[in-house]
Amino acid sequence: MNTMVLMAGILAGLATLGHFTAGTKMYLKPFLASDLDLIPKNVILSVFHYISVYQILSSMVLIMVGINFDNCMYDPTMVLNFIALNYAFFAGVQIIISLSSSVKGGLFKMFQWIFWVLIAVFIFLR
């Protein structure tokens, strides 16, 4: 066990909680209430949740490595899986947001998910 990495993971989890609570209230909701076009609003909503995905996965990996430090630190597969999972979840976030938005043809107007899927697939197929 590595106490420092475990503490970093716990702090990262608390920061993630702050992201969802204060970040949503102070930054995301006012932005979404603005007069901007729907596509930029939905792309920024996706970016907000990309950060959410990264924070959640990072917290989990830090806690996992903190608890099982010796068995995790020298495996490059873990790093590759972490990166691939981030991109896979980025794609999922954007697909859900684009399909649930009122943007007509949102799935193709907010097309970044295609790149995220390809990146994840190429890593998983290594």
Side-chain angles (χ1 to χ4, degrees), residues 15-16 22 29 42-44 48 51 65 86 92 112 115 122 126:
T16 303
K29 285 184 179 180
N42 282 291
V43 169
I44 292 300
F48 181 87
I51 294 166
V65 170
N86 274 288
Q112 295 88 346
F115 298 108
F122 287 144
R126 67 185 181 282

Side-chain angles (χ1 to χ4, degrees), residues 10-50:
I10 292 168
L11 286 173
L14 292 173
T16 303
L17 186 62
H19 169 76
F20 280 113
T21 56
T24 298
K25 181 180 177 183
M26 294 171 30
Y27 304 108
L28 183 61
K29 285 184 179 180
F31 180 82
L32 294 176
S34 73
D35 292 332
L36 288 173
D37 186 55
L38 282 176
I39 294 173
K41 282 184 180 182
N42 282 291
V43 169
I44 292 300
L45 179 61
S46 295
V47 171
F48 181 87
H49 288 302
Y50 295 167

Side-chain angles (χ1 to χ4, degrees), residues 42-109:
N42 282 291
V43 169
I44 292 300
L45 179 61
S46 295
V47 171
F48 181 87
H49 288 302
Y50 295 167
I51 294 166
S52 305
V53 165
Y54 180 78
Q55 287 184 303
I56 291 167
L57 290 176
S58 295
S59 301
M60 290 171 42
V61 167
L62 285 169
I63 290 169
M64 184 177 72
V65 170
I67 291 170
N68 196 21
F69 185 77
D70 292 333
N71 295 327
C72 294
M73 288 309 294
Y74 303 104
D75 185 4
T77 317
M78 184 176 165
V79 174
L80 292 171
N81 288 338
F82 172 74
I83 293 168
L85 282 172
N86 274 288
Y87 280 102
F89 281 105
F90 290 172
V93 162
Q94 190 150 28
I95 290 168
I96 290 167
I97 289 171
S98 65
L99 291 176
S100 64
S101 75
S102 58
V103 175
K104 190 173 184 164
L107 193 60
F108 298 104
K109 289 182 179 172

